[in-house]
Amino acid sequence: SYNLNQVTVTHHFVELACRQPGIYYGYYFLELADYFGREGTDEKNMMNLLYLTVKALLNPEIDDRLVRCIFELRTMTEQGLMPELFRCVNCGEEIAGKENLFFSQEAHGILDGDCLKKASPGEARRISPAALYTMQYIVSSPMTKLYSFTVTDEVLWELERHIQPYVAGNTDKKFKSLQILEVMM
């Protein structure tokens, strides 16, 4: 059994309270972690991810939107909902070095051009090599390296286009903090 007997707060993150919209990202990350949290399970990785994510929100070098993408995709990974990003979900072939790749929400991962015909029409979206590499890095890198990079605006837009619908499709809740955050943006 897992019991929490004592907690010592090492950092209160009070500086986040005066950052807009950073504070709302923080609320959303907590709400998403709470959605997946289950009593009696080992949540060390999620706690560590939350801690590193809030620290990243305080880093002016990293766009808050990128922090959100990283947190969402890594949360899906930690919860066993990682999309298949290294092989075609249909034929199982490795996609390394292939061109003409697509991300399918419905199939939960990457489809190569040949297997695209088997996806629902218009459901799968083309994914660039840079966005795919970034997603692969997020799901496979050590947690301490998650917030050690930035991306171009084009790649960030593409990450949002793939990751945010993936999270929404794999959760059955409307997150209030996310609704507030989206109104602010």
Side-chain angles (χ1 to χ4, degrees):
S1 87
Y2 297 95
N3 295 309
L4 182 63
N5 296 321
Q6 183 178 353
V7 174
T8 304
V9 178
T10 58
H11 193 182
H12 291 276
F13 294 105
V14 292
E15 60 272 30
L16 186 61
C18 60
R19 293 205 45 203
Q20 299 291 334
I23 187 72
Y24 295 103
Y25 279 104
Y27 288 141
Y28 168 59
F29 300 152
L30 288 171
E31 194 175 3
L32 187 61
D34 180 59
Y35 173 83
F36 284 112
R38 300 289 178 258
E39 188 174 330
T41 60
D42 183 358
E43 298 292 340
K44 284 185 282 191
N45 284 345
M46 279 304 298
M47 291 299 293
N48 193 24
L49 179 59
L50 276 168
Y51 176 74
L52 294 171
T53 301
V54 173
K55 281 179 58 175
L57 284 173
L58 296 172
N59 183 348
E61 303 295 318
I62 304 173
D63 190 312
D64 290 348
R65 294 168 39 224
L66 178 59
V67 173
R68 175 183 172 183
C69 288
I70 294 169
F71 179 79
E72 287 177 330
L73 185 55
R74 189 57 178 249
T75 296
M76 295 291 107
T77 301
E78 294 297 327
Q79 299 305 319
L81 297 168
M82 180 183 97
E84 176 55 68
L85 300 170
F86 298 92
R87 297 180 173 277
C88 174
V89 292
N90 187 55
C91 66
E93 286 186 29
E94 286 192 30
I95 57 171
K98 285 191 174 186
E99 298 289 322
N100 204 24
L101 298 172
F102 299 84
F103 185 80
S104 169
Q105 303 289 332
E106 196 175 275
H108 297 275
I110 300 298
L111 292 169
D112 62 27
D114 296 332
C115 293
L116 178 64
K117 300 172 198 114
K118 297 176 178 113
S120 299
E123 186 275 324
R125 294 180 174 173
R126 185 176 302 278
I127 187 166
S128 71
L132 178 58
Y133 176 81
T134 303
M135 290 173 73
Q136 290 171 333
Y137 182 84
I138 292 167
V139 302
S140 63
S141 69
M143 209 167 293
T144 55
K145 302 283 186 190
L146 279 178
Y147 298 103
S148 63
F149 67 94
T150 59
V151 295
T152 64
D153 289 337
E154 294 80 19
V155 171
L156 179 55
W157 175 81
E158 194 175 348
L159 290 173
E160 290 175 321
R161 192 178 80 159
H162 295 303
I163 295 171
Q164 291 172 6
Y166 188 77
V167 172
N170 284 285
T171 54
D172 60 357
K173 177 182 177 182
K174 296 282 186 199
F175 297 99
K176 290 181 175 127
S177 53
L178 182 56
Q179 292 171 337
I180 293 169
L181 185 59
E182 289 173 347
V183 167
M184 291 185 69
M185 305 311 282

